[in-house]
Amino acid sequence: MNKEIPNNVLRPPEGELIEVRHVERIYYDTTGRQTIALQDVNLDIRRGEFISFIGPSGCGKTTLLRLIAGLDFPQGGRLSIEGKTIRKPGPDRGFVFQQAALFPWKTVEGNIAIGLKAGKVYKEKKVKIKEYIDMIGLSGFEKAYPHEISGGMAQRVAIARALINEPKVLLLDEPLGALDAFTRIDLQDTLRQLWKQTRTTIALVTHDVDEALSLSNRIAIMTSRPGQISEIIEVKIGNKSDRNDDTFISLRKRVLEKLHLAGLHASQWTYTV
C-alpha cells in the first residue's frame, strides 16, 4: 500500500529533477544486526537549484547522496531522475568525493579529460578542457601534476572533472571539509560562481552551517539515525557572501535551532563569523 506523502515534502512550482519517495536503507553487520541508515525519506530536488543536506554525523547524508548517484541501492522506496528509476551510476550525475582522488600520473588537464573519456565524448569536447580550467581558476596549472598543487586546487580539478560532462546534477560529498578556513571560503565563492554560470543542479553534503547558507537555495535538515528529512528551509539572502548580514545571522540561528531539535546540540556544529 502506498504511504501518504508527508506535508514537509515541498513541491516546487516547476518540474522536479529528482524524486525520492519512501526510501529506506538498512545495513547489516557480520552478526546480522541491522542499522537503519535511512527511513521513509521523501524529497524533491528542483531543476537548477542548489540544495544542501545537513544533520548529525551518521544520519545518512552521504548514504542519500550515494543512492542518488546510483552507487548504492535502497531496500525500500524509489529514487528517480526525470521520472526514470535510478538503478546505477550515469553521466547525468557527477559526483565529487571528500578527497579529490586525482590520478597522480596525470596532469590537471589530463585528470579533467578523464571525465570526457568516461563519457566517450573526448574528441567532440576536448576543446572545453581549457574553458573549465579557466572556470575553476587554474589557468597556468594545466601541466601540473597532483603532487605539485594544493588540496584546494586538487578539489577544483575534481569539480571540473565532474562538471565537464555537463551532468544534470552535481553531487558533492563534503568536498571542502578537509581544507583550511581561507581556502574553504575561497572555494565556496568558486562553487557559487560555477553554479551561477552553469545553472547545474547541485546537491551538497556539509557539516558547516555557514557553508550551507552561503551556497544554497534550500537546506534539508536530517534527523539522527534513522535518518529522515525533518525540515527544509528556504534560503533567501541578498548577499550570501556577507556573513554579518542580519538575514544571514537570523537564518544561521534558525538552522542551528532546528539542528538541535533534529538530534544534535548546536555547539557541535561549525560556522564562521
Side-chain angles (χ1 to χ4, degrees), residues 24-29 32-38 60 62-64 66-67 72-73 75 225:
E24 295 184 355
R25 181 64 173 99
I26 303 171
Y27 294 99
Y28 296 88
D29 64 18
R33 184 175 60 182
Q34 69 176 25
T35 299
I36 304 174
L38 297 172
T62 293
T63 297
L64 180 56
R66 288 175 59 84
L67 290 172
D72 196 2
F73 308 96
Q75 273 89 5
R225 187 182 303 134

Side-chain angles (χ1 to χ4, degrees), residues 176-196:
L176 316 185
L179 305 178
D180 63 84
F182 177 81
T183 303
R184 186 168 188 154
I185 290 174
D186 185 51
L187 198 43
Q188 287 168 6
D189 291 338
T190 299
L191 272 175
R192 192 183 304 111
Q193 291 304 315
L194 283 172
W195 177 74
K196 287 179 179 178

Side-chain angles (χ1 to χ4, degrees), residues 48-50 135-136 156 159 163 170 172 176 184-200 202 204 208-217 235 237-243 248:
E49 80 168 326
F50 198 128
M135 285 173 64
I136 59 171
R156 290 173 185 267
I159 290 167
L163 269 178
L170 178 64
L172 306 175
L176 316 185
R184 186 168 188 154
I185 290 174
D186 185 51
L187 198 43
Q188 287 168 6
D189 291 338
T190 299
L191 272 175
R192 192 183 304 111
Q193 291 304 315
L194 283 172
W195 177 74
K196 287 179 179 178
Q197 284 179 258
T198 65
R199 286 297 173 177
T200 302
I202 299 180
L204 168 72
D208 190 320
V209 175
D210 279 17
E211 183 167 277
L213 288 170
S214 68
L215 292 172
S216 312
N217 303 122
V235 180
I237 302 173
N239 183 4
K240 290 189 176 184
S241 61
D242 182 4
R243 303 184 184 206
F248 196 107

